[in-house]
Amino acid sequence: MSSKKFSLLDRIKSFGHAINGFRVLFKEEHNARVHLVVTIVVLSLGAFFSISVSEWLIIILTIGFVFVTEILNTAIEDIADFISPQRDARIKRIKDLGAAAVLLSAVTAVVIGIIIFLPKIWSILSWEITDYHRNRIICSRIYLCVIRYGAAFY
């Protein structure tokens, strides 16, 4: 156990290490970039459909779950490659287990997304095109999403 005293500066530096970890993740891991794009789509759908607070909590936890498994899998793969650069059946097994964790988290996220968003998408698709008021609601929600969240990109 370390006898080093608490240092606020060291805590701030640790955030820098974490941010660098995200930088490495998105620069080097294709799947993490795919997860990021899907995250943006899901957050946009959540805003468009004005999902409930409990649905937001589930979505946010699910997104975190997928990214945590992706980060841990990447760390496992990097450690395994460092320990054994050559092919090894035991290292392959370890990497396969990490990949299975990411797949399970992604499939879980898709199922949760379907449960939350499919009824909302279905209700829009089942409306008659001639229903003037429902079309105005859709247009106003799109407008609000653009106004509310569009400024984040500038």
Side-chain angles (χ1 to χ4, degrees):
M1 184 144 195
S2 176
S3 62
K4 191 174 179 183
K5 290 186 178 182
F6 175 82
S7 166
L8 184 60
L9 185 60
D10 287 343
R11 299 294 65 85
I12 293 170
K13 286 180 183 177
S14 70
F15 280 103
H17 298 303
I19 290 168
N20 187 53
F22 281 115
R23 198 174 293 126
V24 169
L25 180 73
F26 293 118
K27 181 181 177 187
E28 297 178 7
E29 295 298 320
H30 174 75
N31 287 340
R33 292 190 298 272
V34 171
H35 295 314
L36 184 60
V37 169
V38 172
T39 295
I40 292 168
V41 169
V42 167
L43 293 176
S44 299
L45 284 172
F48 176 77
F49 287 115
S50 299
I51 62 175
S52 69
V53 171
S54 58
E55 290 170 325
W56 273 118
L57 290 173
I58 292 167
I59 292 293
I60 290 167
L61 285 170
T62 303
I63 290 168
F65 177 52
V66 171
F67 276 108
V68 166
T69 56
E70 185 66 48
I71 291 167
L72 291 175
N73 182 52
T74 300
I76 289 168
E77 287 179 349
D78 287 353
I79 290 170
D81 290 341
F82 177 76
I83 292 171
S84 178
Q86 66 279 2
R87 291 182 78 63
D88 183 299
R90 295 169 297 183
I91 295 295
K92 181 188 179 313
R93 182 175 182 268
I94 292 167
K95 287 182 170 186
D96 288 350
L97 289 169
V102 175
L103 179 62
L104 179 61
S105 70
V107 168
T108 301
V110 168
V111 170
I112 288 170
I114 288 170
I115 291 169
I116 291 175
F117 292 114
L118 189 62
K120 295 167 182 7
I121 292 169
W122 182 253
S123 70
I124 286 177
L125 295 177
S126 65
W127 288 347
E128 291 184 26
I129 303 278
T130 58
D131 192 341
Y132 174 76
H133 295 291
R134 289 184 180 156
N135 288 335
R136 284 187 53 132
I137 290 170
I138 292 170
C139 290
S140 66
R141 284 191 177 176
I142 291 171
Y143 176 76
L144 287 175
C145 287
V146 168
I147 296 300
R148 190 182 309 162
Y149 300 104
F153 294 107
Y154 292 104

